[in-house]
Amino acid sequence: MAPLIAPSILSADFAHLADEAEAVRGADWLHVDVMDNHFVPNLTLGLPVVKSLLKATDIPIDCHLMITDPDRWAIGYAEAGAYNVTVHAEAAADPVAVAANLRAAGAKAGLSLKPGTPLDAWVEALRHYDTLLVMTVEPGFGGQAFMPDMMAKVRQARRLVDTGHLTVLVEVDGGISADTIEQAAEAGADCFVAGSAVYSAQDPAAAVAQLRATAARHRPAPPTPSQAGPA
Ligand code: DX5
Ligand code: ZN
């Protein structure tokens, strides 16, 4: 599978979101950061804007919910037609139930870990999920510096997938650019969120294609048959 690139509209012009989605044609997913000013110290947009975006673009919508009480609110994004809905492990009261509800509503279910949240405690819950979002910055703002220390978590997730213990796509979010995507690709990420790197480019669609090509060149070789399969 080719690496997936998900431009984050957090770095786009919120007054022209339909045009900003068109500007990244060819992107695999469109990443939408929902922030509630409680779980993170920033406020962005919510379900009404996501519903409008769904009508304005054919790119699958990847909702990243940085909100408290996702057990209550996440389902609405799935019912509206988002392709993937990611909640934070630190915020969910019952992550297994959240995943089941998201899938029942027709969406992929994603679980996100803040930089300080280790993967180990969430492996069991992740058996119920389709995507794992490894934060490579503290959630809340675009344009922050990539945290290379998080590559250990990405490598751990990659190993769990390659050995058949998990079936999630491994997604990274925060500080991904032409300079940092190599590290994340080498660590084994499948999907790369990029906000400022895409939307500050002269040609955002070309930036998406370049990021995808760079990630493809730096992916680890697929596991050999003896490494793969449940232990
Ligand atoms: C941060 C958001 C990211 C953000 C990434 O809390 O989750 O999706 O948009 O922006 P960049 O790529 O600029 O770090
Ligand atoms: Zn995000």
Side-chain angles (χ1 to χ4, degrees):
M1 189 189 72
L4 303 175
I5 305 296
S8 167
I9 58 153
L10 187 60
S11 297
D13 180 348
F14 277 18
H16 299 99
L17 285 178
D19 296 337
E20 296 285 59
E22 176 59 24
V24 294
R25 68 203 159 278
D28 299 285
W29 298 352
L30 193 63
H31 186 84
V32 177
D33 289 303
V34 175
M35 304 187 190
D36 66 352
N37 222 8
H38 292 276
F39 182 72
V40 288
N42 196 7
L43 185 65
T44 55
L45 51 81
L47 187 54
V49 175
V50 169
K51 284 182 174 169
S52 294
L53 255 178
L54 282 160
K55 284 187 246 163
T57 182
D58 292 332
I59 304 174
I61 300 279
D62 177 34
C63 282
H64 177 193
L65 304 184
M66 286 160 276
I67 62 172
T68 53
D69 203 4
D71 303 70
R72 176 174 176 189
W73 300 112
I75 183 89
Y77 295 84
E79 287 171 345
Y83 176 75
N84 182 60
V85 179
T86 292
V87 301
H88 266 270
E90 305 84 0
D94 186 346
V96 173
V98 171
N101 290 338
L102 291 172
R103 285 173 162 181
K108 305 276 186 207
L111 192 69
S112 181
L113 305 179
K114 288 167 68 170
T117 304
L119 175 54
D120 307 72
W122 301 99
V123 173
E124 279 309 307
L126 279 163
R127 292 180 191 275
H128 303 266
Y129 279 84
D130 304 292
T131 60
L132 163 63
L133 180 60
V134 176
M135 290 304 302
T136 43
V137 298
E138 285 297 338
F141 299 92
Q144 302 183 78
F146 176 77
M147 298 169 73
D149 290 0
M150 294 303 115
M151 295 307 94
K153 203 186 289 185
V154 173
R155 280 191 292 271
Q156 185 186 358
R158 178 83 264 143
R159 269 197 305 276
L160 287 163
V161 174
D162 286 347
T163 53
H165 292 86
L166 290 177
T167 54
V168 289
L169 276 182
V170 181
E171 186 176 5
V172 286
D173 183 8
I176 298 293
S177 69
D179 295 330
T180 60
I181 197 167
E182 298 183 12
Q183 294 174 62
E186 278 165 3
D190 301 297
C191 180
F192 304 82
V193 177
S196 45
V198 167
Y199 279 105
S200 67
Q202 283 280 357
D203 181 345
V208 167
Q210 279 165 14
L211 287 170
R212 191 188 288 115
T214 305
R217 280 198 302 276
H218 291 273
R219 301 196 96 187
T224 61
S226 63
Q227 292 170 309

